[in-house]
Amino acid sequence: MSVPPAERTAALAARPARRGAAGRSGVAGAAALMAASLALVLTAGALARELGARYGAAEVLFLRFLLSLLVVAPAAFAMAGRRALSVTRPGGHAVRALSGVGAALIFYAATQHLPFADLVALSYAAPLFVVLLSGPAIGERAGAASAVCVALGMAGVFLIAPPTRLEPWSLAMLAMAVLNAVCILATRRTAQADGPAATGLVFVLAGCLLTAPAALLTGFRMPETADLPAFLLLGVAAGAAILLNAAAFRRAPAAVLAPIDYLGIAASAAIGFLWWGESPSSAVLLGGALIAAAGLGTLWAGARRPG
């Protein structure tokens, strides 16, 4: 998974596409859905950064969760009816909510301290931590190929955030990647039991409940009229990204769609340059390329692993 919102991991709950079930038109449609989802996620991230310059990170995140209900709730009830609020593993959902919301809050706070390309590239390190944590967390052992990919990806991380000059917000982004990995692993535990509708809706509702106190304690104030369209677009973009992402994974396998998702690293560099005039360093570009290659490699290694 890429940039927060971490609720994009709801796609893991979607019924995976069967091999041979999708023709060329089906794969093309899935690729278009994935590209649209990625565009919305990056748009939401850029809007959060822009709004975060005038409002607290907790307030921006709370309103993002609240407004995304406009999209997520109708879709979830249309898919599953009242079962959209029924969960069989509340503990797993609690872990997922706490880790996912924590990761998103760190990302929103870090937007004011790091270039946009750095933020996005470091957020893509989450799959590397999934490999490292999957053994102790859910008993999945990583093979030699996965270990090599993790080493390659961590080399990319260290290019972007060298250990010799680690800054507090670079460390915070690595903590965010770890929390996103925990969120992904928790989703694997809960998704098959509860389905994509409950997985997505419960997370957004939990996000509202968890961020509301933080927003109040950090001085919540009503958005200015001029900022209301941006807040609305932020919430709708985040909510629509969940639905498009899950729809894409129902139509095509992850091996087909992941390369599109990793285009977000390059796209974030372009957004940073066009929106804020930021020029990514060669270390960020090379590090992002290594992280993308490592993420695709871990996907390939996982697909080849028996069972």
Side-chain angles (χ1 to χ4, degrees):
M1 289 297 124
S2 60
V3 193
E7 68 264 27
R8 290 188 75 200
T9 56
L12 295 173
R15 183 178 298 171
R18 292 177 295 175
R19 290 186 180 180
R24 290 185 178 180
S25 61
V27 170
L33 290 170
M34 189 69 175
S37 174
L38 175 61
L40 289 173
V41 168
L42 291 171
T43 298
L47 285 169
R49 189 187 200 206
E50 192 69 21
L51 292 167
R54 299 185 292 280
Y55 302 91
E59 177 177 352
V60 175
L61 187 57
F62 167 69
L63 290 173
R64 202 278 321 263
F65 276 122
L66 185 66
L67 292 170
S68 67
L69 282 173
L70 296 173
V71 177
V72 176
F77 285 115
M79 291 169 60
R82 284 182 293 180
R83 288 180 300 161
L85 290 173
S86 175
V87 297
T88 58
R89 294 183 177 178
H93 284 280
V95 170
R96 181 170 183 264
L98 289 170
S99 57
V101 171
L105 187 58
I106 291 173
F107 181 86
Y108 277 36
T111 59
Q112 303 306 305
H113 302 277
L114 293 174
F116 194 63
D118 296 42
L119 287 166
V120 174
L122 289 172
S123 73
Y124 274 89
L128 308 178
F129 291 107
V130 169
V131 176
L132 292 173
L133 296 174
S134 59
I138 58 177
E140 291 182 359
R141 291 189 176 183
S146 294
V148 170
C149 290
V150 169
L152 180 68
M154 294 309 295
V157 169
F158 291 142
L159 272 174
I160 300 171
T164 54
R165 58 176 183 84
L166 273 179
E167 300 175 356
W169 286 105
S170 296
L171 289 172
M173 284 301 294
L174 291 180
M176 185 221 74
V178 174
L179 287 173
N180 263 341
V182 173
C183 183
I184 292 170
L185 291 170
T187 303
R188 288 184 181 177
R189 288 285 193 157
T190 59
Q192 296 303 318
D194 296 326
T199 303
L201 180 57
V202 169
F203 181 85
V204 176
L205 290 172
C208 291
L209 294 174
L210 290 172
T211 54
L216 290 173
L217 289 173
T218 53
F220 179 87
R221 61 188 177 90
M222 289 300 296
E224 306 223 353
T225 303
D227 290 325
L228 288 177
F231 273 110
L232 181 61
L233 180 57
L234 170 62
V236 170
I242 304 170
L243 305 178
L244 293 176
N245 191 258
F249 277 99
R250 285 197 295 268
R251 288 165 172 77
V256 174
L257 299 176
I260 299 171
D261 197 38
Y262 277 96
L263 289 174
I265 294 178
S268 67
I271 291 172
F273 177 76
L274 294 173
W275 199 322
W276 297 286
E278 298 173 346
S279 297
S281 66
S282 56
V284 170
L285 294 175
L286 179 57
L290 289 174
I291 292 171
L296 294 172
T298 57
L299 177 67
W300 173 81
R304 288 174 57 88
R305 194 178 303 133

